[in-house]
Amino acid sequence: MKTIILIGALGKMGQAALTGLGKHNVITAGRSGDVDHIVDITNEQSIRDLYANVGHFDAVVNTVGVCEYANFTEMTQAQWMTTILSKIMGQINLVRIGQEYIADRGSFTLVSGILNVKPIPLAIADATTSGAIDTFVKCVSLEMPRNTRINVVNPTVLTEAWEVYGEMMPGFEPVPGKLVGKAFERSVDGFISGEVIFVDA
């Protein structure tokens, strides 16, 4: 049994990840709500406090990344920075700081999203940052210390979130959260590293 920090545990993606991590000791974290630890991934000290407070852990699974949606011609620098600071730098900092705390042979699992492969209107920031995280994981896996691993789950829209996102994504086929949970399970319990694990219909 591994001790896993699951960030964004109360969200739909977090709940999907949880379906694949049930056999482990899962410590929940998020910006608010009924979780074991409060963390803001856009704040370096908040990340460091999370790791220090948890103590020993074998894996970090992140399922959050705030994205702003707008037409490219109307998107402001502030909107871009909101997305970059959360989806890119927040996740990079989870790994950058986390590698100081994680157990030997531990693993990090980040999240991106299918829109960098299948773009839709209004989602240029989401697509761009998802592509950046996919690239980050592939490259940084070659530099990870102490035999730690890193992967990213790149899912399409969840069935459980279709009511919210379905109108934006005509022609997409949603996938059940349980299937996405299998991708997180593969990352945590397998031996792969530097992989983009696509979950698409």
Side-chain angles (χ1 to χ4, degrees):
M1 178 183 290
K2 298 175 181 178
T3 296
I4 300 170
I5 301 174
L6 175 59
I7 301 169
L10 300 183
K12 287 184 168 53
M13 192 65 66
Q15 290 296 296
L18 194 58
T19 66
L21 305 174
K23 67 182 180 182
H24 296 295
N25 174 32
V26 178
I27 296 172
T28 60
R31 291 189 69 170
S32 61
D34 186 17
V35 290
D36 297 322
H37 296 274
I38 297 296
V39 65
D40 176 0
I41 70 168
T42 67
N43 183 296
E44 291 184 51
Q45 189 59 52
S46 181
I47 294 171
R48 194 170 291 279
D49 290 345
L50 169 67
Y51 292 146
N53 289 333
V54 170
H56 173 86
F57 59 93
D58 303 290
V60 175
V61 173
N62 181 60
T63 64
V64 297
V66 174
C67 292
E68 293 278 351
Y69 292 87
N71 287 315
F72 172 66
T73 55
E74 300 170 356
M75 197 155 189
T76 65
Q77 177 170 298
Q79 288 176 302
W80 273 106
M81 290 309 298
T82 294
T83 308
I84 290 167
L85 288 174
S86 180
K87 189 81 174 277
I88 297 180
M89 286 313 305
Q91 295 201 93
I92 289 174
N93 282 335
L94 285 173
V95 180
R96 183 178 65 84
I97 298 169
Q99 54 90 22
E100 301 174 24
Y101 293 86
I102 198 166
D104 291 350
R105 306 185 69 82
S107 71
F108 295 89
T109 306
L110 306 183
V111 67
S112 57
I114 205 67
L115 299 183
N116 67 314
V117 178
K118 297 180 177 181
I120 63 170
L122 306 178
I124 185 64
D126 190 338
T128 300
T129 50
S130 288
I133 286 299
D134 286 356
T135 299
F136 168 71
V137 164
K138 290 176 186 177
C139 296
V140 81
S141 67
L142 304 173
E143 300 186 39
M144 295 296 287
R146 297 183 288 110
N147 294 310
T148 51
R149 299 181 299 107
I150 184 169
N151 298 293
V152 55
V153 174
N154 184 318
T156 190
V157 62
L158 297 175
T159 301
E160 292 83 352
W162 186 248
E163 284 189 13
V164 176
Y165 295 105
E167 191 173 333
M168 294 174 61
M169 304 176 73
F172 283 71
E173 182 68 30
V175 296
K178 188 174 181 180
L179 184 61
V180 176
K182 292 292 185 184
F184 284 100
E185 180 182 11
R186 182 180 168 212
S187 177
V188 171
D189 290 334
F191 70 106
I192 59 172
S193 189
E195 294 291 327
V196 180
I197 307 173
F198 289 98
V199 187
D200 196 10

